[in-house]
Amino acid sequence: MELRKLLEMDKFDNECKKENKIECKKIREYRSTEYDVERNEHIETGEYCSSYPIVLKSDGTVWDKASLYIDFLRSDRNRSSALLRTAGNDLLDFLRFMEANNLNMLHLPIKKAQRVTFRYRHDLLEREKEFKLNGHKKIGRNTISQRINRIVDFYEFCIENKIFTFTELDNRPYTLLKKRIYFEDEKGFTQKKVVRSSDLSIPRAPRAIQTSDSIKDGRKLHPLTEQEQSIFISYLKASNNRVLQLICLIALTTGARIQSICTLRVNDIKNMMISKKVKGSFKKIEIGGGESIDNKNDKKYIIFFHTELLEMLNNYINSEEWKERSTQSYYKNKNNYVFLTKFGEPFYTSRKELEDRKNRL
DNA sequence: ACGCCTTACATCCAAGGATC
DNA sequence: GATCCTTGGATGTAAGGCGT
């Protein structure tokens, strides 16, 4: 690791030393720099992360190995900041386990079950069981599966980069295995594939069965009944929060997700206003698939706005309230979000904004 | 199937405002 | 000025997509 990074880490260490809890802190708007000796200045490498996790040990110092691993994920594997956060949390859980049991990563005695990695695996399974018995879900099968796989990848990284030497590793933290898997390709033929696995890995939970009265969308969703809808609307009418009213109206009448609604931009409304009517009194807009409005997993989809609703939205984006909010916001009057909080924050940061912030547009 | 990555959503937390 | 409430953000869980 370069000296620069270590120095930065020291600075961060000192800032964090006051508190003594194991946690995963976050650096906002991370931009990596390189030090130019001749010019005596820091030069940005152009690498950017909207948030960057730092795992802290109970004494408040940075867990250096975790930082090296997370930086490797960012720089060498070019992972998103969302993934860095997930990885940070996975490592955090492992660190908490080690500290609680007074173990370190190199605790690898002859007996397999006593090695830190196998004890962690056992701990994960116990925790899953514990919550299952109590009825409330706290740690699920998919999570523990992900956790243990992350740890294997973390050890692999440490060994690969000689953070551990062979003499330090008394016994193997795990054994890498090659598993043969069979799957059906798009033409319906059974294919065989060899994938990398380990003797630590925990199989994932089988997919939930879809029930007829729910929509499968990440979780199981239930459409509101007509009665529920009318109750909802009566409460909505009583609200004096125009933004909430409009967001809910769009949701009810178009079925769009909150993610799409909250990433709607002013130009989308303006363009729809001047576009041709379809299906009677509706106007259409494409979302997802690289369009400015986000959709889950960036899937392409068309949503239909009733002209009356569009009229309301058009009134809103020309209102004093909207102008007031937009002046405090990132985009000001440059194709801003339709919906902003009273402090000018978007309710949902769009993919487009992440891109724009990276390029400082 | 399996592993890796992305992301929706619940819950917790802290700061600031409202109310008495 | 103590307490409650709102709100945005932080944190944590886990489902689903995708490539293999």
Side-chain angles (χ1 to χ4, degrees):
Chain A
M1 179 164 223
E2 309 145 61
L3 183 61
R4 174 189 58 81
K5 278 185 185 159
L6 287 173
L7 286 174
E8 269 179 17
M9 221 175 253
D10 264 355
K11 211 171 70 191
F12 205 79
D13 262 358
N14 291 331
E15 278 172 32
C16 298
K17 257 176 191 156
K18 292 149 239 157
E19 305 159 56
N20 58 341
K21 57 176 175 187
I22 314 167
E23 60 183 336
C24 191
K25 285 227 171 198
K26 207 167 138 186
I27 301 174
R28 300 290 305 267
E29 299 277 305
Y30 172 92
R31 290 175 198 279
S32 88
T33 55
E34 270 170 10
Y35 182 62
D36 187 323
V37 186
E38 299 203 344
R39 283 196 255 166
N40 187 27
E41 61 185 354
H42 290 279
I43 296 162
E44 282 186 16
T45 61
E47 290 160 90
Y48 166 84
C49 260
S50 57
S51 76
Y52 190 86
I54 298 282
V55 181
L56 299 180
K57 294 186 279 193
S58 61
D59 62 3
T61 58
V62 171
W63 188 17
D64 50 357
K65 291 183 189 69
S67 284
L68 290 167
Y69 175 68
I70 289 167
D71 202 58
F72 158 80
L73 290 178
R74 182 194 62 78
S75 62
D76 287 45
R77 292 195 190 157
N78 200 21
R79 293 289 165 254
S80 72
S81 60
L83 185 268
L84 300 188
R85 194 172 66 110
T86 304
N89 280 327
D90 292 339
L91 295 182
L92 181 69
D93 192 67
F94 183 47
L95 178 65
R96 283 192 176 136
F97 165 79
M98 286 194 294
E99 289 207 0
N101 294 284
N102 215 6
L103 297 168
N104 63 56
M105 284 183 78
L106 293 171
H107 181 83
L108 302 165
I110 293 171
K111 277 199 175 164
K112 213 168 150 181
Q114 286 173 6
R115 294 178 204 164
V116 59
T117 44
F118 286 91
R119 282 184 63 176
Y120 180 56
R121 179 180 193 273
H122 183 254
D123 184 70
L124 287 171
L125 287 165
E126 284 300 305
R127 273 154 65 200
E128 188 209 6
K129 222 186 285 173
E130 183 185 317
F131 287 111
K132 234 181 212 167
L133 291 177
N134 293 340
H136 41 71
K137 282 205 128 186
K138 200 73 186 162
I139 188 159
R141 191 31 95 95
N142 291 359
T143 306
I144 66 171
S145 166
Q146 176 182 254
R147 290 264 157 87
I148 203 72
N149 286 339
R150 186 85 55 204
I151 294 316
V152 173
D153 193 51
F154 180 42
Y155 271 91
E156 282 292 285
F157 164 79
C158 291
I159 294 165
E160 184 99 348
N161 290 279
K162 301 188 172 59
I163 291 169
F164 305 137
T165 62
F166 259 111
T167 47
E168 278 176 298
L169 285 170
D170 298 329
N171 291 293
R172 289 177 181 200
Y174 49 82
T175 308
L176 288 179
L177 304 170
K178 281 177 180 168
K179 284 188 186 167
R180 263 179 295 277
I181 54 163
Y182 297 89
F183 65 99
E184 233 173 61
D185 64 17
E186 64 272 21
K187 292 186 180 104
F189 293 109
T190 302
Q191 299 281 350
K192 190 171 79 172
K193 210 93 217 183
V194 176
V195 297
R196 199 196 72 158
S197 186
S198 75
D199 56 351
L200 280 175
S201 73
I202 299 167
R204 267 174 53 157
R207 286 216 185 149
I209 307 145
Q210 185 169 9
T211 54
S212 55
D213 63 340
S214 69
I215 299 164
K216 209 167 71 181
D217 182 38
R219 307 225 165 159
K220 274 175 251 163
L221 306 179
H222 294 268
L224 295 181
T225 63
E226 271 180 41
Q227 195 197 3
E228 285 167 339
Q229 285 185 39
S230 65
I231 294 169
F232 184 65
I233 286 170
S234 67
Y235 274 89
L236 200 56
K237 274 183 184 159
S239 164
N240 57 0
N241 182 336
R242 190 61 179 151
V243 164
L244 179 71
Q245 282 180 333
L246 290 172
I247 289 174
C248 293
L249 262 182
I250 301 175
L252 275 175
T253 58
T254 69
R257 287 190 189 83
I258 191 154
Q259 177 188 23
S260 305
I261 299 171
C262 292
T263 54
L264 264 178
R265 301 292 187 108
V266 167
N267 286 358
D268 298 321
I269 303 300
K270 288 182 179 163
N271 290 339
M272 266 192 282
M273 290 296 286
I274 56 169
S275 73
K276 266 194 249 159
K277 276 187 193 170
V278 291
K279 299 210 289 185
S281 37
F282 290 91
K283 304 253 180 140
K284 70 168 186 178
I285 187 160
E286 289 184 8
I287 64 165
E291 297 291 333
S292 62
I293 310 168
D294 284 1
N295 194 18
K296 191 175 178 180
N297 304 318
D298 213 22
K299 260 192 190 140
K300 245 188 144 99
Y301 201 76
I302 295 171
I303 46 180
F304 297 92
F305 281 74
H306 196 275
T307 44
E308 272 180 48
L309 176 63
L310 266 183
E311 202 57 55
M312 287 185 216
L313 292 169
N314 195 42
N315 285 340
Y316 182 70
I317 58 174
N318 288 301
S319 69
E320 281 306 310
E321 180 181 298
W322 188 84
K323 276 173 200 153
E324 165 67 28
R325 292 178 181 204
S326 67
T327 51
Q328 303 174 63
S329 71
Y330 177 71
Y331 285 109
K332 308 276 187 277
N333 57 2
K334 289 188 299 179
N335 193 18
N336 211 326
Y337 294 99
V338 174
F339 301 117
L340 296 163
T341 69
K342 64 176 168 182
F343 304 112
E345 294 291 334
F347 290 96
Y348 207 105
T349 307
S350 67
R351 290 176 229 268
K352 180 85 168 53
E353 180 177 340
L354 289 177
E355 200 55 31
D356 288 346
R357 279 185 185 264
K358 183 177 173 180
N359 302 323
R360 292 189 226 248
L361 289 177

